[in-house]
Amino acid sequence: LAMLAVDNGAAVVRMAVNCISRRPYMRRSMRSSHFLPISCSFSTAAVGEASQKGLLIWGEGKNGKLGLGDSDRQDYPCILESDSFGGESLRSIKCGADNTAAITESGKLYMWGSNKNGLLGTEIEADYKDTPHFMEAFRNIPVAKVEFGDAAAIVLTEAGQLYSWGWGGGFMTAGCLGHGNWESKKDPTLIEFFNDIKVLDVAVGGYHASAVVEGGNVFSWGKGAYGRLGVGSSSDQHTPTQIPFFEFQPAKSVTAGDTFCSVITESGSVYSWGANDSLQLGIGPSITLDVQSMESDPRHIKGINFDVKEALKVEAGNNHGLCLVKDTDLNRTEVYEWGAHRSAAARLVETLDDVYGVAKDTESLYDFNIIDISAGKNFAAAVAETGEMFTWGDSRCLGVGEKVWVKSPIMFAQREEFEFPKIVKVSCGKEHIAALFEM
């Protein structure tokens, strides 16, 4: 059910499974054309210590964003070898539109994919990098999180500082670097506004960014169209600007879609703002009197009873939202979904609130304690505590090899038929997915 590629004694595993036809898929290693069959078991003898975390990746490979040494599309998951990351275990992953990043347990940052606007740093001159590239700028600065926009990247360090680089803005469109001007940056540059403020979380949308700081306040900057900065207007901001609303509702995390943002407050509720033309705010049709469907101030998500449910994570796709909540009465998790993906979600879930467009899955995931979720362009993924992964939406990105719309969350691998790696985290990009698994 898998193949072992042997190259001068180095063992490298490449495998994936078509969970519809139950047939294995084998991808040729970049470094060897010699294969030996092995059991489909992720034992420590094959891939290292059980405590380490490896990387599965699949989907559209344009500009080398899968990191596999080419720009080929992969309809089934492939393992990216640990030696691509200096042999270190991975802590987190992030998929953007044309880039992917991984952070090791020691805080080292690796990035690959498109180098447009210099996102891979000045040491890379090529248009793209199809294998993981160590970001030299952060050699002595441990990284906690990385976020991609359409033309920029922002890093949150373990010390709570922000660095940004990429395209700064132009005549018609503002950038989201946050340095007090619209100048582009070829190298990661400290956002000095937060020098005396510890940042807890950051999110980057199309051309805007938001950050949660110690104490729960939220700041936003970049392109302001459709009210996506949450400051009561649609004006652009080249410097981080505080959102007054969260002085009274302290936030703890933030996510950003193409033209909107969502926040989880310390009380466990969710608020959204920005464009609402696809009902991506989770509040139903917008109440604004403007010609555009938008909200320039944070609005409370509807259709979820936050009196008995606590939001654990909220994710934004291009124009849809996804929320993982815990029902405190039933002591179980639930997944809610809304926005542009809702038209499909309405057909795949058991319950749909037609007033607010918020859908809840009550069958496919009912017997699983979900610990992670992620939203892509028009697809989504969820990970269970026991290691199963579920995907749904545009099947071209789901790793199942079928070109059909998947109308309900399907289990990524049927574990009762073979041993499959335990998935622990997932990240969905515009057209690709990456998942961390226990080795």
Side-chain angles (χ1 to χ4, degrees):
L1 292 176
M3 300 299 281
L4 181 65
V6 180
D7 182 16
N8 296 325
V12 179
V13 174
R14 291 273 191 187
M15 70 78 65
V17 177
N18 180 340
C19 64
I20 294 180
S21 67
R22 304 291 190 272
R23 293 175 299 179
Y25 172 84
M26 285 74 76
R27 184 184 191 278
R28 188 176 296 274
S29 168
M30 294 182 292
R31 302 179 302 172
S32 175
S33 60
H34 304 291
F35 294 91
L36 298 174
I38 62 170
S39 165
C40 185
S41 172
F42 284 74
S43 64
T44 56
V47 290
E49 297 180 1
S51 60
Q52 288 195 328
K53 294 181 179 64
L55 179 60
L56 286 169
I57 194 163
W58 65 97
E60 177 57 54
K62 183 180 179 182
N63 292 321
K65 60 186 169 185
L66 299 186
L68 298 170
D70 54 42
S71 293
D72 296 343
R73 177 182 183 82
Q74 298 298 333
D75 290 326
Y76 301 92
C78 299
I79 288 180
L80 196 53
E81 300 96 328
S82 62
D83 58 4
S84 298
F85 310 104
E88 278 199 65
S89 177
L90 299 180
R91 180 201 301 163
S92 65
I93 46 172
K94 179 65 179 182
C95 293
D98 288 304
N99 295 86
T100 312
I103 301 172
T104 68
E105 290 289 358
S106 65
K108 291 184 173 62
L109 173 63
Y110 290 81
M111 292 173 53
W112 58 97
S114 174
N115 195 31
K116 187 176 181 180
N117 300 302
L119 290 192
L120 301 183
T122 52
E123 61 266 29
I124 300 297
E125 296 181 356
D127 292 338
Y128 65 90
K129 188 79 166 61
D130 56 18
T131 56
H133 163 66
F134 175 61
M135 296 296 290
E136 187 66 35
F138 297 98
R139 177 174 291 277
N140 299 313
I141 305 175
V143 171
K145 186 179 184 181
V146 60
E147 285 279 303
F148 296 111
D150 283 357
I154 297 182
V155 155
L156 171 63
T157 70
E158 291 184 0
Q161 295 181 311
L162 292 182
Y163 289 78
S164 67
W165 68 103
W167 185 72
F171 177 70
M172 296 295 294
T173 303
C176 61
L177 299 188
H179 298 297
N181 52 54
W182 303 124
E183 294 180 6
S184 298
K185 299 292 183 180
K186 294 182 178 181
D187 292 300
T189 303
L190 180 69
I191 300 180
E192 296 182 357
F193 179 88
F194 296 105
N195 275 356
D196 299 320
I197 309 173
K198 184 176 182 179
V199 179
L200 302 181
D201 196 18
V202 65
V204 182
Y207 294 96
H208 66 289
S210 293
V212 178
V213 302
E214 201 167 47
N217 278 318
V218 180
F219 293 80
S220 61
W221 61 97
K223 188 177 180 65
Y226 306 109
R228 72 186 83 180
L229 300 186
V231 295
S233 73
S234 293
S235 300
D236 299 338
Q237 302 290 337
H238 52 54
T239 301
T241 302
Q242 185 173 344
I243 300 178
F245 178 85
F246 294 105
E247 290 185 22
F248 310 100
Q249 290 280 354
K252 62 180 182 180
S253 67
V254 60
T255 186
D258 190 38
T259 55
F260 73 105
C261 282
S262 296
V263 152
I264 297 180
T265 64
E266 290 183 356
S267 63
S269 290
V270 179
Y271 290 82
S272 297
W273 62 92
N276 196 39
D277 55 316
S278 298
L279 303 184
Q280 59 264 55
L281 300 187
I283 61 172
S286 183
I287 62 174
T288 181
L289 298 179
D290 201 337
V291 180
Q292 300 166 332
S293 181
M294 53 172 268
E295 297 295 337
S296 58
D297 293 295
R299 302 293 181 184
H300 196 246
I301 292 286
K302 305 296 183 181
I304 303 176
N305 183 5
F306 288 108
D307 291 334
V308 295
K309 301 179 193 296
E310 176 189 1
L312 303 178
K313 185 176 184 180
V314 63
E315 279 279 297
N318 272 30
N319 296 300
H320 68 105
L322 195 66
C323 188
L324 172 63
V325 306
K326 180 178 180 179
D327 189 311
T328 54
D329 282 352
L330 301 177
N331 194 30
R332 60 178 304 274
T333 58
E334 296 173 339
V335 176
Y336 289 80
E337 190 173 21
W338 58 86
H341 198 37
R342 183 192 68 85
S343 58
R347 298 193 298 270
L348 8 152
V349 297
E350 298 302 319
T351 303
L352 174 69
D353 188 316
D354 289 321
V355 177
Y356 305 115
V358 177
K360 181 183 75 170
D361 183 89
T362 59
E363 182 176 328
S364 302
L365 308 177
Y366 187 85
D367 294 326
F368 298 88
N369 181 38
I370 302 301
I371 59 172
D372 196 23
I373 56 173
S374 187
K377 179 181 178 180
N378 52 7
F379 59 97
V383 176
E385 184 179 30
T386 44
E388 295 87 355
M389 188 171 80
F390 299 82
T391 54
W392 64 99
D394 185 352
S395 66
R396 293 175 298 175
C397 305
L398 305 188
V400 298
E402 301 290 334
K403 295 182 179 179
V404 294
W405 194 277
V406 177
K407 295 187 176 182
S408 64
I410 59 171
M411 192 180 295
F412 183 70
Q414 300 297 329
R415 293 172 65 96
E416 67 272 14
E417 296 191 11
F418 55 85
E419 185 177 350
F420 196 81
K422 181 180 179 180
I423 306 297
V424 292
K425 287 184 179 180
V426 64
S427 178
C428 297
K430 185 177 181 179
E431 298 175 307
H432 71 300
I433 302 181
L436 290 187
F437 68 94
E438 288 189 353
M439 299 173 73

